[in-house]
Amino acid sequence: MNAGQKSARRIAASHGPFSRDTVCTSCLSRMSRRAASTAAATSEQAAQTQSVSKSDPPVTSSAPAKAYRVLTSPLLSRPPLLTRNLTSFEKAYFLYQKRLNERLSLPFSRYFYYKKGTPGDEEWKRKIRVRKTAARDIGVYNAYGDEGWNDEVLVGDDVSEPSTTVERLIRDAEGRPIVDVESQKEEEEQKSVEGAKRELQRVEVERPMSRETEADRKNDQRSLNRKLDRALYLMVKNKEGIWRFPEDRVYGRENLHQAAERILIQSAGINMNTFLIGNHPIGHHAQKFTSPITSTLSANRLVPTSTIARAGEEGSVREEHGEKVFFMKARIMAGQADLSKNEYGDQEFKWLAKEEVQKVVSQAYWSSVKNMLTER
């Protein structure tokens, strides 16, 4: 509508009913159609209002809401404290590389370190006669002799074993030959040269600690001082006698991270220094019940946003058809689990490696958690 048509409309509105004398034909036709559509919409709305008023009032259903039980489970682990054991191939390979490096490197110049005729030079000569090389951890090997090329380890030879290497390093530090065959002969030669009337005094060197602990020998699965080269996971035996990771419902408005922190305190006590990694779950386990379970909402003393629902309150009772467990990754840095004040009725706990977890849980549970557990 142009400016002239708008002016005509204002004039028509101020002078009463529309007529051909006051409004042009095109404007009159357009305003008539608009008035007709407005009247039709008004009558339709009135009809709908009348039909709603005559219909029956809405009925509120008293049946319980259908839902899944949502739980959180902290996957608490102790990381490896030692490097893993080498395979037989890796042991032989590393020894071969050491011998190859000894053969290809420049010869050791002892006169740079020892002056001729000094005690240090005599000690060096005594040791080099036995091990035939400057290196102390590659066995008896002459890198510059006719058999220098023959540096591979034979099957059954323990020269590449870490325990053998450690023992030879200790013997060398104590001033003894690295092999027992020449030990007696070397001592007799040194006694005759020095004219000693007493036995040689040896320096006692402290042995390194064993990789196998007392808990390993006793197979104490409650101890954290076992399987130091593997990751261990906290498993608990619930009141039904089922081994699982610690778990509980999510209450109120708490998120999965907050629920996992609370579960660690209520299940394993406060004598553990732990921390959760991230706010997102690393996996989940879903299980359907054979028959629905009717449960009433409850509260948790550590969750301020959780309240006990009153009887008859909307959502106070719900029908649960299964449960969904979300796993949160956590680490323990110090301390130990304590079930003396456990609030879930857990009976026992163990620290287990991955293959040990498989032996105590069900097949369905293992299928859900196996990819979350590390091999070492």
Side-chain angles (χ1 to χ4, degrees), residues 42 50 98 138 201 205 270 277 309:
T42 304
Q50 185 177 4
K98 291 178 182 178
I138 61 175
Q201 293 183 354
V205 178
I270 60 175
I277 304 174

Side-chain angles (χ1 to χ4, degrees), residues 336-350:
Q336 177 60 288
D338 182 14
L339 301 186
S340 60
K341 296 182 180 180
N342 183 274
E343 300 184 13
Y344 305 125
D346 297 332
Q347 307 170 7
E348 189 180 353
F349 75 91
K350 290 182 179 180

Side-chain angles (χ1 to χ4, degrees), residues 127-362:
K127 290 182 177 180
I128 202 67
R129 281 197 300 268
V130 178
R131 63 190 188 204
K132 297 181 174 56
T133 182
R136 300 173 297 172
D137 57 347
I138 61 175
V140 179
Y141 172 69
N142 186 2
Y144 306 104
D146 296 336
E147 295 292 327
W149 57 270
N150 190 14
D151 50 9
E152 295 184 6
V153 181
L154 301 179
V155 177
D157 194 352
D158 64 347
V159 67
S160 61
E161 293 292 332
S163 57
T164 303
T165 302
V166 170
E167 182 62 26
R168 289 182 174 180
L169 291 174
I170 292 176
R171 291 171 65 93
D172 186 81
E174 292 176 344
R176 295 185 294 160
I178 62 174
V179 290
D180 291 327
V181 179
E182 303 289 341
S183 178
Q184 187 67 25
K185 182 179 179 181
E186 288 294 326
E187 289 185 6
E188 292 177 357
E189 289 181 358
Q190 188 162 354
K191 286 182 181 180
S192 62
V193 171
E194 297 177 356
K197 302 296 183 181
R198 57 182 175 80
E199 293 185 0
L200 296 177
Q201 293 183 354
R202 294 174 180 170
V203 179
E204 293 295 333
V205 178
E206 184 179 0
R207 262 62 175 174
M209 297 182 64
S210 174
R211 294 174 63 97
E212 185 181 25
T213 64
E214 186 69 20
D216 286 320
R217 290 186 283 271
K218 294 182 179 180
N219 194 26
D220 184 8
Q221 295 184 338
R222 294 169 58 93
S223 174
L224 282 167
N225 295 324
R226 60 183 290 267
K227 292 186 178 294
L228 300 181
D229 59 340
R230 299 290 305 279
L232 299 180
Y233 299 91
L234 177 63
M235 302 287 296
V236 294
K237 187 178 182 181
N238 60 19
K239 54 186 177 182
E240 287 83 15
I242 301 175
W243 284 98
R244 301 176 77 118
F245 298 111
E247 63 183 24
D248 189 25
R249 290 175 177 266
V250 177
Y251 291 92
R253 297 179 182 177
E254 66 176 355
N255 54 38
L256 297 179
H257 186 101
Q258 295 169 340
E261 289 181 332
R262 171 181 57 80
I263 293 169
L264 286 177
I265 296 175
Q266 292 182 328
S267 63
I270 60 175
N271 296 325
M272 293 193 303
N273 188 359
T274 62
F275 70 97
L276 268 79
I277 304 174
N279 294 315
H280 300 280
I282 60 174
H284 79 285
H285 170 66
Q287 177 184 356
K288 286 188 176 181
F289 299 147
T290 55
S291 59
I293 299 176
T294 302
S295 62
T296 304
L297 296 182
S298 59
N300 191 286
R301 62 180 182 84
L302 296 183
V303 185
T305 57
S306 65
T307 57
I308 300 178
R310 294 186 297 271
E313 185 178 347
E314 183 179 357
S316 61
V317 179
R318 62 182 180 182
E319 188 179 85
E320 296 176 339
H321 291 255
E323 64 180 16
K324 293 184 178 181
V325 186
F326 295 90
F327 298 96
M328 302 293 292
K329 188 176 183 180
R331 293 285 198 191
I332 179 172
M333 296 178 288
Q336 177 60 288
D338 182 14
L339 301 186
S340 60
K341 296 182 180 180
N342 183 274
E343 300 184 13
Y344 305 125
D346 297 332
Q347 307 170 7
E348 189 180 353
F349 75 91
K350 290 182 179 180
W351 292 95
L352 303 179
K354 181 176 182 178
E355 66 276 4
E356 296 172 334
V357 172
Q358 183 181 7
K359 297 178 182 178
V360 298
V361 299
S362 64

Side-chain angles (χ1 to χ4, degrees), residues 8-79:
R9 185 176 181 180
R10 286 196 297 269
I11 295 172
S14 61
H15 288 81
F18 302 144
S19 66
R20 294 182 181 274
D21 298 332
T22 57
V23 183
C24 67
T25 305
S26 61
C27 292
L28 180 62
S29 175
R30 184 174 300 175
M31 287 186 290
S32 299
R33 289 196 302 269
R34 182 174 298 176
S37 62
T38 304
T42 304
S43 61
E44 183 180 355
Q45 183 177 3
Q48 290 179 355
T49 305
Q50 185 177 4
S51 63
V52 170
S53 61
K54 292 181 179 180
S55 61
D56 297 333
V59 179
T60 304
S61 176
S62 60
K66 297 180 180 180
Y68 268 77
R69 182 183 301 170
V70 179
L71 300 94
T72 302
S73 178
L75 200 68
L76 185 63
S77 64
R78 187 223 65 190

